[in-house]
Amino acid sequence: MKLKYILSILIAGLLFFPSCDEEELDKTNPNGFTTSSYYQNGLHLEKATNAIYGQFTGADLYGRMIKYLSACRSDEHASGGPQLEVHNAQLIAGTYDNTIYTLTGPWQGLYRLIHRANAVIEFGPAIEDPTLDEDIKAHRIAEAKFLRAFAYYYLVVYWGDVPLYTETVKTADGEKATSPESEIYTLLENDLGEIIPVLNVSHDDNNLGRATKGAAQLLLARILMHQGKYGAAHTVLLDIYNNGPYELVDNYAENFQEETEYNEESIFEIGFAGSNFNWWADGNGDSPADKGHVMFQDVSPVGWRNLVPSEKLINDFERVSDGDAKDDPRLSETVIFRGDAYGAEKTDTLKESDFGWYKYSPMYKLNPGGYYISTINYRNMRFAEVLIKLAECENEVGTPANAIAYLNEIRNRPSVDMPDYPTANYPCDSKDQIYRAIMHESLVEFSNELYRAVELARWRKNGKFSALNPEPIEYIATNPNKAILPIPSNEVDNNSLID
């Protein structure tokens, strides 16, 4: 039953109650806020903006379920066994429908984030507080626009045409029909273009994790490239490359460890702290300073092991046995195998399983036996992505030598130090061959970073798969209609404008 019809029945039922003194019914909670009583000062604006970021930590998003949405739509993960929840196994197998929580949860979480962002964008500008610095006010509103664009980017990549809300919904019948992708992209390009000059290049220690100019630029580049606008994306990426404060860290592993969060390679992180995770979908259940996540527990070789690295991923790492000069050291920072040592002193060895995920694992410093709540931030954007996207843009605009040079910057990182392209296994004599190198480098560099599924979606949308670089998701290869996910049942049931 549609939500608005439920509300209509409830309202109609109230008409049958005896009349009461209107003064008794007109009560305002003195300890609560309404929209009109909130957004009165700078503290209100800061808390409202922080609440948008807080949505990230909920179980619907980076606390848990958006991990599964990304992992189960990629070729880097495989089922760890029958313990994998049915809805996640169905997404991996392509047997899903629009009722599974792997779709309904992230959809709800992203639209909650959008609603919180819309509130700041809508009501923040009207705040009149002489103690509120106008630059800070403008920055908070710019952060909200970045976060709204972030959410819409994932919605449009996964679902295509989706409802577009640019202000808060104020009535039960305030739902909207889907908007075409082009309309959503136009809003995001305009918003990001507007806020890039407003956002800080970096933040002090008290504000780490807030959106920056570089984060907005990289998000804009993602959006442009998804539409096939490689020339425009190249301009944005080149500005980050030449003028941003970012560089590759020497030690690849530092991108996934707790002590090296917000390093010089990091552009945008999903932040976690504390030791609590109570499965709240909206991230409201714990204090802002006490939010962990169970993503490591889900994929841990010493935990639930619901997902494991795929055979395709493991085989994609270059090895001496394949004719290359050395093994790719990123493999040992990504996958742990039975008998491998771990922990700060390397005194523990993996006995529980044949292999599992090591990247984003606390196993580099301890034995996380039992139920483990992780507080390692997820690096949603880092400088290596700028390099690999520049390589793709250069390949598209016809400068292959530049494309290869950007890929080699990643491989030349001291802790990686892999042979330069072209190699015996990755010749680069044609555009398609360079794409093969790009797709390979992206897979081994970014696996388990909640990144692969959107990369596959972009290449799929722009026709980059070929005989040399085939579609890796078998059920999409045989049924291209599954390239876009169905709108979740919770939206269909509650939105009368969507069939």
Side-chain angles (χ1 to χ4, degrees), residues 196 199-201 211-219 240 245-246 267 381:
I196 283 169
L199 290 169
N200 292 343
V201 172
T212 60
K213 176 183 177 179
Q217 287 178 301
L218 185 48
L219 180 57
I240 304 174
Y246 310 108
I267 297 178
M381 301 177 184

Side-chain angles (χ1 to χ4, degrees), residues 121 141-150 191-192 194-195:
I121 295 165
I141 296 165
E143 289 175 65
K145 288 189 174 182
F146 166 81
L147 294 167
R148 182 175 71 179
F150 183 101
D191 276 356
L192 292 169
E194 173 191 312
I195 66 174

Side-chain angles (χ1 to χ4, degrees), residues 153 185 189 192 217-237 393 458 462:
Y153 165 72
Y185 287 132
E189 288 182 38
L192 292 169
Q217 287 178 301
L218 185 48
L219 180 57
L220 177 58
R222 288 179 176 181
I223 290 163
L224 291 168
M225 289 179 70
H226 202 76
Q227 299 171 83
K229 297 180 179 180
Y230 294 99
H234 179 267
T235 300
V236 176
L237 292 164
C393 289
R458 182 180 76 256
N462 290 296

Side-chain angles (χ1 to χ4, degrees), residues 313-331:
L313 170 66
I314 293 172
N315 290 339
D316 227 58
F317 283 94
E318 295 156 83
R319 317 280 183 91
V320 171
S321 58
D322 297 332
D324 292 294
K326 60 180 288 190
D327 289 349
D328 190 332
R330 288 172 292 189
L331 175 60

Side-chain angles (χ1 to χ4, degrees), residues 212-457:
T212 60
K213 176 183 177 179
Q217 287 178 301
L218 185 48
L219 180 57
L220 177 58
R222 288 179 176 181
I223 290 163
L224 291 168
M225 289 179 70
H226 202 76
Q227 299 171 83
K229 297 180 179 180
Y230 294 99
H234 179 267
T235 300
V236 176
L237 292 164
L238 203 57
D239 187 65
I240 304 174
Y241 181 84
N242 288 327
N243 302 311
Y246 310 108
E247 60 184 30
L248 298 176
V249 294
D250 289 346
N251 183 358
Y252 175 73
E254 289 183 1
N255 289 304
F256 321 110
Q257 296 175 352
E258 192 166 14
E259 295 79 8
T260 48
E261 293 166 347
Y262 304 114
N263 60 36
E264 58 266 36
E265 187 167 338
S266 175
I267 297 178
F268 185 66
E269 301 190 11
I270 309 298
F272 291 92
S275 57
N276 245 351
F277 183 77
N278 62 14
W279 303 88
W280 285 51
D282 55 14
N284 288 345
D286 299 313
S287 70
D290 196 18
K291 292 174 183 283
H293 62 78
V294 292
M295 286 189 286
F296 167 71
Q297 178 70 24
D298 271 308
V299 303
S300 166
V302 295
W304 297 333
R305 200 173 180 264
N306 290 333
L307 293 171
V308 297
S310 69
E311 183 178 351
K312 178 186 187 301
L313 170 66
I314 293 172
N315 290 339
D316 227 58
F317 283 94
E318 295 156 83
R319 317 280 183 91
V320 171
S321 58
D322 297 332
D324 292 294
K326 60 180 288 190
D327 289 349
D328 190 332
R330 288 172 292 189
L331 175 60
S332 63
E333 298 295 347
T334 302
V335 182
I336 186 169
F337 297 93
R338 182 182 294 275
D340 284 354
Y342 67 91
E345 305 300 326
K346 302 297 182 184
T347 53
D348 294 298
T349 57
L350 181 64
K351 305 179 184 69
E352 292 83 353
S353 57
D354 290 334
F355 63 97
W357 286 106
Y358 187 70
K359 183 185 279 189
Y360 279 123
S361 163
M363 296 171 76
Y364 71 92
K365 61 180 178 179
L366 52 85
N367 184 336
Y371 181 68
Y372 186 83
I373 303 297
S374 179
T375 53
I376 300 175
N377 289 358
Y378 262 75
R379 279 68 155 180
N380 183 270
M381 301 177 184
R382 55 188 180 89
F383 186 59
E385 182 184 345
V386 174
L387 295 172
I388 207 162
K389 278 186 161 50
L390 276 169
E392 187 171 341
C393 289
E394 296 284 2
N395 194 38
E396 282 294 326
V397 301
T399 47
N402 290 347
I404 295 167
Y406 284 124
L407 292 179
N408 287 335
E409 282 194 48
I410 298 174
R411 293 167 73 85
N412 294 160
R413 187 197 304 262
S415 64
V416 175
D417 192 29
M418 287 297 290
D420 283 354
Y421 291 115
T423 68
N425 288 322
Y426 293 94
C428 297
D429 297 325
S430 68
K431 183 176 180 179
D432 211 23
Q433 286 182 339
I434 294 174
Y435 253 111
R436 181 167 175 262
I438 288 169
M439 291 177 182
H440 159 73
E441 197 64 27
S442 177
L443 178 59
V444 299
E445 174 73 17
F446 298 113
S447 60
N448 202 34
E449 295 186 42
L450 314 186
Y451 180 77
R452 182 69 173 176
V454 294
E455 291 286 88
L456 295 180

Side-chain angles (χ1 to χ4, degrees), residues 45 129 131-143 195 197-200 203:
L45 180 60
D129 178 359
T131 67
L132 174 59
D133 183 280
E134 287 299 314
D135 288 341
I136 293 177
K137 178 179 176 180
H139 199 281
R140 297 290 176 261
I141 296 165
E143 289 175 65
I195 66 174
V198 177
L199 290 169
N200 292 343
H203 294 291

